Amino acid sequence: SIVRSLYRSLLRYSRHPEVFPPDMVEPILSKYELPQHTILNTNKLRDIIRDEFKQDVDEDVEGEGSSERTSQAFSVVRFCSERSAFLQPDSLPETLAAFIYGKPELPGSLVHFHFFEPRYKVMIKEAMEEREKRFLYLYTRPAAAEQQLGSEEGESLIGQCGVVLSVEECLFEDDGRANIRAICGPRIRVTDIVEQRVFEGSPLSELSYETITDTPPTNDEDRKEIAETARHYEYLVHEIYRYIPRVRIETQLGIAPSSSHPENFSLWLAKWLQGNDYSAQGLSLETEKTLVRLKSFGTTLEKIHDTLKAKNEAE
């Protein structure tokens, strides 16, 4: 039945909570009144989906409530399908133009830009018309950005990391300026400079790149340490909610991945704990070692937990 098909689709997408609509979070939190120490993560999302569809799936109910639920599910599945294509594309162009910026972004983040420089006006026009609405968002540290404009233009970009940006909405102005909303997709590392065009003294780089993911642990000891560290940090986040229930970071960062997917969980945590530390978040973007990323903000997470616990006990 249609209901069963939607139910299975939602359960499948729930393994990747970053594809769900951000505006789902507030209604879920309001309706289900999650305990103060419970974060809305992959596991909880699956429980909620099962609860919502239990009667319909078990009994093939067709009524007003079922119809409304089916309509809502259709909308969510359509959104998840589109966003999944952005975040987990089957294929990508071999080369893309790059927008270079000094602030790192991580997969799943939503970004907004106003493009007004001549080179980026060309980039966004070509992206929308010829490049599947995609371009590279490249994080460069200040020294690398300065070198890019020097005598060996672009050499410093090789090896730099970033993400593939997929444009969800683009509004052009009459003079070619553009306001965009885009989502950050797979992490990438630049492998070569294919072409550089100069617009009013500033280069627009066409780059080849490779996608990067964390390297799987090679032995049981490392695998166990990663799993235990991720589970412990997930526990700390639950406990932090016990002390500051009014702060729901899911409304800013999206539904949390489960610690059973350590790479995705660590990237989600990095967006929260390293949001204002560009250098640290840049390392989380670049590293291919899950444990290195987890340990990079472990002290911060422990400190937040211990401070809030001590304050709560004192009161």
Side-chain angles (χ1 to χ4, degrees):
S1 70
I2 292 176
V3 171
R4 289 180 183 274
S5 177
L6 290 171
Y7 172 70
R8 287 193 294 267
S9 294
L10 287 172
L11 283 181
R12 184 175 67 254
Y13 283 127
S14 71
R15 301 190 191 102
H16 305 281
E18 65 274 10
V19 306
F20 277 80
D23 56 9
M24 275 186 59
V25 175
E26 287 285 5
I28 289 175
L29 293 176
S30 299
K31 179 175 181 179
Y32 286 90
E33 298 180 348
L34 299 184
Q36 292 180 359
H37 59 284
T38 299
I39 191 170
L40 178 57
N41 64 9
T42 304
N43 297 333
K44 190 62 182 177
L45 179 61
R46 290 172 70 85
D47 291 342
I48 289 171
I49 291 170
R50 291 190 181 101
D51 182 63
E52 280 289 311
F53 279 85
K54 179 173 175 50
Q55 184 179 7
D56 294 351
V57 171
D58 290 347
E59 303 175 14
D60 283 331
V61 173
E62 293 185 4
E64 184 176 342
S66 176
S67 176
E68 180 181 355
R69 191 155 40 245
T70 300
S71 177
Q72 292 173 345
F74 261 125
S75 297
V76 173
V77 168
R78 184 169 59 250
F79 183 96
C80 290
S81 176
E82 293 173 354
R83 181 156 285 189
S84 180
F86 291 153
L87 294 172
Q88 298 136 14
D90 293 330
S91 63
L92 288 167
E94 291 184 1
T95 68
L96 285 169
F99 172 57
I100 299 169
Y101 205 57
K103 178 183 182 297
E105 293 289 354
L106 297 172
S109 296
L110 277 174
V111 294
H112 298 79
F113 293 113
H114 172 69
F115 290 135
F116 59 90
E117 288 188 51
R119 56 175 169 168
Y120 294 137
K121 287 161 60 175
V122 171
M123 179 196 73
I124 189 60
K125 183 176 186 297
E126 293 179 348
M128 299 303 291
E129 295 178 354
E130 306 169 11
R131 301 300 184 85
E132 303 174 1
K133 301 181 180 181
R134 290 187 169 108
F135 59 93
L136 300 181
Y137 178 102
L138 200 62
Y139 166 60
T140 58
R141 303 181 189 281
E146 290 170 7
Q147 185 179 341
Q148 190 219 0
L149 302 177
S151 57
E152 297 182 0
E153 209 165 69
E155 289 296 322
S156 63
L157 295 182
I158 298 176
Q160 296 296 316
C161 294
V163 293
V164 177
L165 273 192
S166 295
V167 180
E168 292 190 322
E169 184 178 27
C170 178
L171 299 175
F172 284 104
E173 299 180 17
D174 292 341
D175 62 359
R177 289 181 295 172
N179 297 289
I180 75 160
R181 182 186 74 239
I183 186 164
C184 299
R187 292 185 290 152
I188 61 94
R189 179 176 291 109
V190 176
T191 57
D192 201 4
I193 318 297
V194 177
E195 180 187 13
Q196 284 200 317
R197 292 173 286 169
V198 179
F199 298 89
E200 296 187 8
S202 297
L204 176 63
S205 300
E206 182 80 12
L207 307 173
S208 61
Y209 58 92
E210 60 184 2
T211 57
I212 55 175
T213 57
D214 287 358
T215 304
T218 56
N219 57 69
D220 290 341
E221 184 177 346
D222 288 347
R223 193 175 296 109
K224 180 180 179 182
E225 185 176 8
I226 290 171
E228 290 179 348
T229 302
R231 282 196 299 269
H232 177 58
Y233 288 177
E234 187 174 49
Y235 164 78
L236 291 179
V237 174
H238 286 308
E239 287 296 296
I240 286 170
Y241 270 34
R242 185 191 298 274
Y243 306 126
I244 48 172
R246 290 187 300 276
V247 178
R248 304 297 311 204
I249 55 178
E250 306 100 311
T251 59
Q252 284 82 43
L253 303 182
I255 300 168
S258 167
S259 62
S260 60
H261 299 281
E263 178 178 351
N264 293 341
F265 179 63
S266 67
L267 287 167
W268 185 86
L269 276 179
K271 285 189 283 186
W272 173 35
L273 297 170
Q274 299 174 336
N276 296 318
D277 187 340
Y278 294 173
S279 178
Q281 195 167 83
L283 292 175
S284 287
L285 171 72
E286 296 165 359
T287 187
E288 297 175 45
K289 296 182 178 180
T290 305
L291 190 59
V292 169
R293 186 181 304 110
L294 285 168
K295 289 186 173 182
S296 71
F297 47 67
T299 301
T300 300
L301 189 60
E302 295 273 7
K303 185 176 181 179
I304 292 172
H305 172 265
D306 293 347
T307 300
L308 289 172
K309 181 179 180 181
K311 182 178 179 181
N312 183 71
E313 291 174 348
E315 293 174 350

